[in-house]
Structure formats: C-alpha cells, structure tokens
Amino acid sequence: MSNVIEIKNLSKSYRIHKKDPGLKGSLKSLINRQYEMVEAVKGIDLTISHGQLIGFIGPNGAGKTTTIKMLSGLLYPTTGQANVLGFTPWQRKKDYLKQISLVMGQKAQLWWDLPLYDSLLLQRDIYEMTKPDFNQSLLELTELLELKDFLKIQVRKLSLGQRMRGELAAALIYYPKVLFLDEPTIGLDVVVQKKIREFIKHYQQQHQATIILTSHNLDDVRQLADRLVIIDHGQIAFNGTTTELINRHVDHKRIVLTFTQPINKSDLEPFGQVTKFNPHRASIQVPRADTTRRAAALLEKLPIEDITIEEPSLENVVRELFTKQDYA
Ligand SMILES: Nc1ncnc2c1ncn2[C@@H]1O[C@H](COP(=O)(O)OP(=O)(O)O)[C@@H](O)[C@H]1O
Ligand SMILES: [Mg+2]
C-alpha cells in the first residue's frame, strides 16, 4: 500500500503576546512588547497509507487542530516536512486543494445566509465540477445525509445536526481523496452522531478515501478507525490499533463471576484483586498472562454459575494513559 501522508519532524510554535496582569501590565506591555512561544506540535513523525482512517485523539490543547491545519495548508509549520498526495500542503497548490477537504465541527464553513443548495453550487464552480458529476454527487449525498428536507433552507435556520450534515455535503461534493475531520460530532446528539459516523465509514469505503479524524468521542474512534494515533503535549504518545494499545498499556484483565450459592469475599481473595463483591456476584482483577489459569482454578474451586473475561474499556485505557506523567 502506498503512503498518502508522510510527516517528518513536524513542529509548530505560536508566538503569543505576554502581558503581566492588571493595568500596569497592559501599559508596560504597550511600551515593551514581550513574546512567548507556545510549542503546540513538537516534532511529530507519521505515515498514513492509502484508504486508511486514522483516529487522532488526545486531550484538549494536545496539538490535534494545529496538526490538521498544517496538513490542510492553513498553517505554515515552524520546522519539518509533510507530503500529502505528493504535495507540500502549505504551498496551497490548486491541484492539492482540489483533492483534499477539511471539516471543523466547531467552525461553520457554509455561507450562513444562503440555502445549503446554493453553497453546494458554489462548491461546484470553485472545484470546477462538470454538471453530470455534480448532479451524481448531489444525488448520492442527499440520499446518504438525508438533506432533501432542508436543501433549500437558509443555513442559519438549520439545527446543528442539519448544519453538520450540510458541512459534510459541501466538503465531500467534489470527492476529495484525503479528508481531515476535526471533531465532526461535537455537540451533536447521539442519533446524529451515529448517522455521521456511518456516513464517514461509507464514504471511506466507497471512495477509498484516506481520512484523519480527530475526536473527543471515543465511540467515533472505536467504530471507525483502522488505527489510533494519540497525541499529548504536541508529541505522539501512541500509534497502533486499539488492541495493541490495550495489550501494551494494560497488564490485567477482569473476571466477572456469578455464583450458584453465596460465597465469602475471602474465598475469592486467593485468585486476584477483588474489585466488586456481593455474595452472588463479584469481579476480580488478574494479571493478563495468568487469566486462563486463574479462570480454570476458579471454576474448579468455587460454585460458579457464569464466568466472563473482560478487557478494560478503551475509555479507561486512554484515561489512564493521559493521567500518567511518565510518557509525555
Ligand atoms: N492561534 C494560536 N495562537 C496561540 N496559541 C495557540 C493557537 N492555536 C492553538 N494554540 C495553542 O497550541 C496548543 C495546541 O492547540 P490545538 O492544536 O488547538 O490543540 P487541540 O486541537 O488538540 O485541542 C494549545 O496550547 C493552544 O493553546
Ligand atoms: Mg482542536
């Protein structure tokens, strides 16, 4: 598989104006402006191959939006290189911009006073689409995103969910090969979130698009992403599948038990750390490598009705990772 995105040692620092608090500080800063650098992205390396969907996650301020802005040509990096579809994004070549698209959940890109349909017509002209191509694309997107009822309504009058579907339609009407989605489901109710997720997956598969999706919502990532890239303090903290993340960072599994007759907590203690207990039902935490042996021992020694072995949730793993201090 060929690489569509290659990033080498990419960094971005913002220069921000430093000011002491209060009026005195304001006056002082007028005379003697002081600047401070914020290192938003610190030398990241990343390769993404054709047709992959990458879940790009990390806490607030980690550098996700900054990275996406550089890759979509909105920001110059401070240092480093990126190659997307054979182009350097920030050179903003027309042939590049015609093949990519950026959707930001927090920022409206549609024309507020125009009906969605008119914004789509503008996209047709900007991206120099033929009428048959446009009509075909419009038909498909109207169907998939259920736009029919509000195509002719002014964007400012749409609900957030409708507007987001409109944003996606405008972003995809010209069939970009690379798609940057920055928090596309933010603020939406779960039903709309699910629809948007299904739509993104469909688009990826139908058009073999390469997609970077940033999200706070781990459901997005779990259900859509082929691979997970975790960024924290501007650096990549993890790059791999969710299974690899769990295997690498979690050294335990949980065994959930129900009993045919009541038992004592002390009966369970030899088998692992008891995390939940009542006489009929309990959970214990056991070392990963020893899970099978312990489960067999439990079945042999205790009156077990049912036994299940659970992986920790992605939420817990990610939360644990972000609260650890030693990997940043
Ligand atoms: N335009 C800007 N000027 C100064 N600092 C910025 C600007 N944009 C982002 N930052 C800072 O850069 C860091 C990374 O921000 P951002 O890329 O938006 O993170 P994320 O999208 O992961 O929340 C943060 O510390 C943020 O405050
Ligand atoms: Mg952001």
Side-chain angles (χ1 to χ4, degrees), residues 12-17 36-41 56-69 75 106 182-183 214 216 231-234:
K12 175 73 190 180
S13 299
Y14 294 103
R15 196 169 81 144
I16 56 164
H17 182 199
E36 198 173 12
M37 301 304 278
V38 176
E39 288 184 89
V41 173
F56 193 42
I57 65 169
N60 247 331
K64 303 180 295 293
T65 299
T66 303
T67 305
I68 292 232
K69 281 184 172 170
L75 269 183
Q106 273 156 320
D182 195 12
E183 307 273 0
T214 84
H216 269 82
I231 182 171
D232 193 19
H233 295 103

Side-chain angles (χ1 to χ4, degrees), residues 305-316:
E305 183 175 86
D306 191 24
I307 179 166
T308 47
I309 297 171
E310 290 182 352
E311 284 286 3
S313 69
L314 184 59
E315 274 80 4
N316 285 342

Side-chain angles (χ1 to χ4, degrees), residues 215-314:
S215 188
H216 269 82
N217 185 335
L218 289 175
D219 285 337
D220 285 352
V221 173
R222 186 180 14 244
Q223 290 175 27
L224 294 176
D226 302 305
R227 184 147 62 89
L228 197 64
V229 173
I230 301 183
I231 182 171
D232 193 19
H233 295 103
Q235 291 179 311
I236 290 184
F238 176 80
N239 179 354
T241 62
T242 48
T243 316
E244 283 165 358
L245 176 72
I246 288 171
N247 286 337
R248 193 172 316 168
H249 289 279
V250 186
D251 52 10
H252 60 265
K253 283 196 192 186
R254 192 163 61 178
I255 302 182
V256 182
L257 303 152
T258 53
F259 309 106
T260 51
Q261 59 196 69
I263 66 148
N264 295 317
K265 195 172 175 192
S266 58
D267 297 336
L268 269 178
E269 274 158 357
F271 298 96
Q273 192 195 335
V274 182
T275 51
K276 266 191 201 148
F277 180 80
N278 76 49
H280 296 279
R281 191 176 163 81
S283 298
I284 63 170
Q285 196 166 297
V286 300
R288 274 188 103 69
D290 210 24
T291 312
T292 319
R293 206 181 62 79
R294 301 230 184 163
L298 281 160
L299 283 166
E300 195 188 309
K301 301 272 166 51
L302 295 177
I304 306 253
E305 183 175 86
D306 191 24
I307 179 166
T308 47
I309 297 171
E310 290 182 352
E311 284 286 3
S313 69
L314 184 59

